[in-house]
Amino acid sequence: MTTMAPNTGETPRALVVRAEEVEHVPLPHGGGFGLLADAAATGGALGANRLTLGTGADGAGPHLHTRSSELFHVLDGTVEFLLGGTRTTVGAGGLVVVPPRMPHAFGAVRGSTAELLVVLTPGVDRFGYFRALGRAGRGAEGLAGLAGLAGLAAEQERYDVHFLDVPEWRRAPEAG
């Protein structure tokens, strides 16, 4: 992986991440993260990942980001988003941009898998968060060793992921 030069007057360098360099973090619903670029690798410009969701799986429960906008490009399948208090469904080829401080949640619609390109800008180093989500799904100890996502609550500021209690988002797990 070639990283970008920070904004220090150095000659700019492009970030190149080849497929074989992408770290894969499995999730319990059969999906997972492909970690593409963290903020440190982009001079803070952005963070990017590819997220695959299993059938009907939640991608993220209600939360917001205070410092960054989040872009979702639906590459495959259909995704249900909660944006503020409004639900909307977006299919393959669609795009959603969530501004800072807007509560949001998302998941694959029932009966569908989904694949998304997710970009956070300006970037926040969040690969540790995604790895912790993978460990939480496998019941591992450590950052996410507490009951599921509860172990990440202490890390909300660090990762700029501020969890919200929005009972109407609660979705029953997909059967199967």
Side-chain angles (χ1 to χ4, degrees):
M1 178 186 316
T2 304
T3 61
M4 294 173 66
N7 191 8
T8 60
E10 296 179 32
T11 302
R13 291 179 297 220
L15 172 66
V16 177
V17 180
R18 290 177 172 71
E20 64 272 13
E21 299 171 325
V22 176
E23 179 182 348
H24 295 278
V25 176
L27 293 172
H29 51 67
F33 289 101
L35 305 182
L36 299 171
D38 221 355
T42 66
L46 59 88
N49 69 85
R50 187 169 181 157
L51 175 59
T52 302
L53 298 173
T55 304
D58 268 348
H63 67 286
L64 60 80
H65 309 289
T66 60
R67 304 186 302 262
S68 300
S69 293
E70 193 165 25
L71 176 146
F72 299 89
H73 180 212
V74 180
L75 302 170
D76 192 37
T78 305
V79 180
E80 180 180 18
F81 288 89
L82 179 66
L83 303 168
T86 303
R87 288 179 187 260
T88 190
T89 302
V90 179
L95 179 79
V96 173
V97 178
V98 181
R101 300 193 174 278
M102 176 179 268
H104 60 285
F106 63 94
V109 299
R110 296 201 186 289
S112 176
T113 59
E115 191 155 354
L116 302 103
L117 173 65
V118 183
V119 178
L120 193 73
T121 183
V124 174
D125 285 320
R126 292 175 62 204
F127 283 7
Y129 173 76
F130 299 136
R131 291 178 186 117
L133 288 174
R135 287 193 305 272
R138 294 188 303 274
E141 293 304 316
L143 176 64
L146 301 175
L149 298 180
L152 292 173
E155 301 293 329
Q156 293 181 84
E157 190 60 38
R158 174 181 176 188
Y159 295 120
D160 192 26
V161 177
H162 304 274
F163 306 115
L164 303 169
D165 184 23
V166 180
E168 59 269 19
W169 177 251
R170 306 231 194 283
R171 297 165 32 145
E174 185 79 11

